[in-house]
Each structure stands twice: as structure tokens, then as C-alpha cells.
Amino acid sequence: MSFRYPPAAPASQIAPERRGAATARFCHGCQQLYPLLRARHVGRPIYGRDQVASACSYESLPFEPGASWWEEAVEVLPVPVAAPAAA
């Protein structure tokens, strides 16, 4: 069984017109996405490795607003289609 999440990326790396709703939290230390419902940086990420050889340096810290080590990850929207030019 697999869970399906929409494609997500850190909000700072996506153009404003392609940002959707916030879907996860992105850790700058381990470069992984964690669910919004998780209050602390623990457990397996949404996208990423199941087995990690070394723990992230931010492991077990709470996802506090304003912390510099994480940011919201947003859904990546498709590229808008340009309207055809009138001839």
C-alpha cells in the first residue's frame, strides 16, 4: 500500500504563481518533507529514505514558527497555459 501526496517543494524554491496550499514541512538539515500534523521532527519523512544512517541534527526539535531550520512546503501547481493569440 502506498500513500499519495501531491508534488511538494519548499515555498522559497517555487515561483509565487505556482504555489499551492501548504502540504508539509521541509527540513533544511536533512532535506526531507514531514507531515503538517507532526509537531516534532521525528520519525519517517513523507518523501525520503526509510533507513537513515545518521540522524538529522534537528531530530526531536519542535517545528516552532519562525525557526530558521525548516520552512513550509507547498503543493507545486502546473504551469499556467497561455491563451491562444487572436488572429
Side-chain angles (χ1 to χ4, degrees):
M1 179 166 93
S2 66
F3 295 101
R4 308 237 183 244
Y5 286 91
S12 64
Q13 296 180 9
I14 303 298
E17 63 273 3
R18 295 200 53 204
R19 292 181 192 164
T23 59
R25 294 181 172 121
F26 177 77
C27 173
H28 291 286
C30 60
Q31 308 286 312
Q32 303 296 324
L33 297 172
Y34 291 87
L36 287 175
L37 296 176
R38 197 170 295 164
R40 299 176 95 55
H41 183 300
V42 293
R44 290 186 4 201
I46 295 173
Y47 299 115
R49 302 174 300 244
D50 290 340
Q51 300 292 326
V52 180
S54 61
C56 178
S57 58
Y58 301 110
E59 186 77 24
S60 79
L61 291 178
F63 286 109
E64 294 177 345
S68 62
W69 60 271
W70 73 274
E71 68 176 292
E72 283 191 336
V74 295
E75 182 180 356
V76 180
L77 300 176
V79 177
V81 178

